[in-house]
Amino acid sequence: ALPRDMSGKRVVVSAGGTREPLDPVRYLGNRSSGKQGYALARVAAQRGAQVTLVSAHTVALPEPAGVDIVNAGTALELREAMHKAAGEADIIVMAAAVADFRPVSRADHKIKKSDRDPDPVALTRNPDILAELVAARAAGKFRSIIVGFAAETGDETGDVLTHARAKLARKGCDLLVVNAVGEGKAFETEDNAGWLLAADGTERSIALGSKAQMAAGIWDFVLNSGTYPTG
Ligand code: C5P
């Protein structure tokens, strides 16, 4: 049995990938399976936390026991669900893969094939939900610890961590979970490895292991990082 060291904590975890509709049957999406976010929710509940899982699109996954699930298909729906849930949360984890862009408009009817060349798809920027949550906290709306994710491909010079440290500073969250992605790593796989970076400069690496093991390591790191403001 896991320690009940998260009892009394209220956590909100987003998971999966958003889908941005082009028409009633088509969307722009990404390859997030949702497995890491679901593992975070399941492990937190097993450790006694009260968990809300804001779920975008995932592969078929069992619903974690004892977790409240809120479905949010698009970036704008996920944004609304996160702002609603944030006020009650001690810890917020943005594990979802949010589409950076969405089609400017969604056609009411299925876009038809035609003889002429297709129109280009006009895109507009989605809000950065993580950055908005950091701003809402700074405005005094809530006091949650905020955790972001970064999927970094890096390159042969190994500057994944350099990028990730810059991202942590830019986003203004307290902790950043860094996954190395690409070449069959992280997305759509059962295993994960990476680094945990805290705004106070604390860092640790997480060895390759199951997404449940990674989740346990993330929660250990969050619990040790204290409460906001960490000062
Ligand atoms: O900038 P990047 O997309 O790499 O940052 C990833 C982090 O930001 C993740 O925690 C993700 O959930 C969050 N994010 C967000 N809103 C977006 C894009 C990313 O909250 N529009």
Side-chain angles (χ1 to χ4, degrees):
L2 293 173
R4 304 283 291 177
D5 57 354
M6 293 182 73
S7 65
K9 298 259 187 255
R10 294 159 302 178
V11 311
V12 179
V13 178
S14 70
T18 68
R19 290 181 182 173
E20 310 301 322
L22 285 155
D23 71 15
V25 298
R26 303 185 181 98
Y27 58 83
L28 296 179
N30 61 64
R31 294 186 183 279
S32 172
S33 68
K35 286 176 182 169
Q36 186 61 68
Y38 271 56
L40 280 161
R42 181 179 310 106
V43 169
Q46 287 168 343
R47 287 166 69 161
Q50 184 186 312
V51 183
T52 299
L53 175 60
V54 176
S55 181
H57 295 275
T58 69
V59 298
L61 295 174
E63 290 192 0
V67 165
D68 288 327
I69 299 193
V70 177
N71 292 301
T74 66
L76 295 182
E77 288 166 3
L78 195 124
R79 170 204 226 175
E80 197 181 319
M82 290 306 294
H83 282 283
K84 201 174 279 178
E88 304 291 307
D90 297 302
I91 307 163
I92 297 170
V93 183
M94 276 297 297
V98 182
D100 292 314
F101 306 105
R102 67 177 181 277
V104 169
S105 61
R106 172 189 184 281
D108 290 333
H109 302 285
K110 187 179 168 189
I111 298 165
K112 296 274 189 293
K113 224 179 339 213
S114 66
D115 293 337
R116 60 189 181 78
D117 286 338
D119 292 329
V121 176
L123 300 176
T124 188
R125 204 184 274 278
N126 271 328
D128 186 323
I129 300 165
L130 178 61
E132 281 188 356
L133 291 167
V134 169
R137 181 181 67 180
K141 301 221 166 99
F142 50 81
R143 291 171 57 84
S144 330
I145 294 175
I146 302 177
V147 183
F149 265 67
E152 301 286 350
T153 51
D155 55 31
E156 59 289 343
T157 62
D159 54 7
V160 171
L161 278 175
T162 308
H163 285 138
R165 288 181 188 120
K167 180 169 293 189
L168 174 64
R170 192 166 64 243
K171 298 265 184 179
C173 53
D174 303 299
L175 303 164
L176 194 70
V177 181
V178 185
N179 281 318
V181 298
E183 307 121 53
K185 293 190 212 123
F187 273 31
E188 300 176 308
T189 68
E190 299 306 323
D191 289 341
N192 227 346
W195 295 267
L196 304 176
L197 310 183
D200 68 3
T202 311
E203 302 185 356
R204 69 165 276 212
S205 64
I206 299 216
L208 186 67
S210 70
K211 290 187 175 177
Q213 285 171 319
M214 176 108 171
I218 292 168
W219 290 127
D220 290 343
F221 194 70
V222 172
L223 296 183
N224 284 329
S225 78
T227 53
Y228 172 80
T230 48

